[in-house]
Amino acid sequence: MGSPIKDKNSQVSFLKQRLNMFLDVLEAIEPEETELEDIDRLIDMIDDLETKCREFNNREE
């Protein structure tokens, strides 16, 4: 694993990159062919983003 991201600009850049990855996956999904596992992976991605946001907020305190 890499070292923790402490610089605020790097944190924002990381979150933007992860959000863009999520959006790319979301756009690529065909609603008629989407399975429950695909939805679970999307939810996991959002959960990971939320966790990172909390981690970054806690580092600022």
Side-chain angles (χ1 to χ4, degrees):
M1 266 188 121
S3 59
I5 302 172
K6 296 182 180 180
D7 176 281
K8 184 149 182 106
N9 289 332
S10 296
Q11 292 172 349
V12 171
S13 178
F14 175 85
L15 291 173
K16 283 182 181 180
Q17 183 179 32
R18 295 289 296 266
L19 184 57
N20 283 329
M21 285 176 23
F22 173 79
L23 293 174
D24 289 342
V25 171
L26 189 60
E27 288 178 4
I29 288 179
E30 294 293 331
E32 299 84 22
E33 299 173 16
T34 302
E35 296 184 12
L36 185 58
E37 291 82 18
D38 299 323
I39 302 300
D40 287 342
R41 279 192 284 275
L42 288 171
I43 292 170
D44 287 342
M45 290 177 78
I46 292 294
D47 288 343
D48 290 343
L49 275 169
E50 182 180 17
T51 299
K52 276 298 178 191
C53 285
R54 285 188 181 134
E55 285 177 20
F56 291 159
N57 282 335
N58 289 336
R59 287 183 192 161
E60 292 176 9
E61 295 175 358

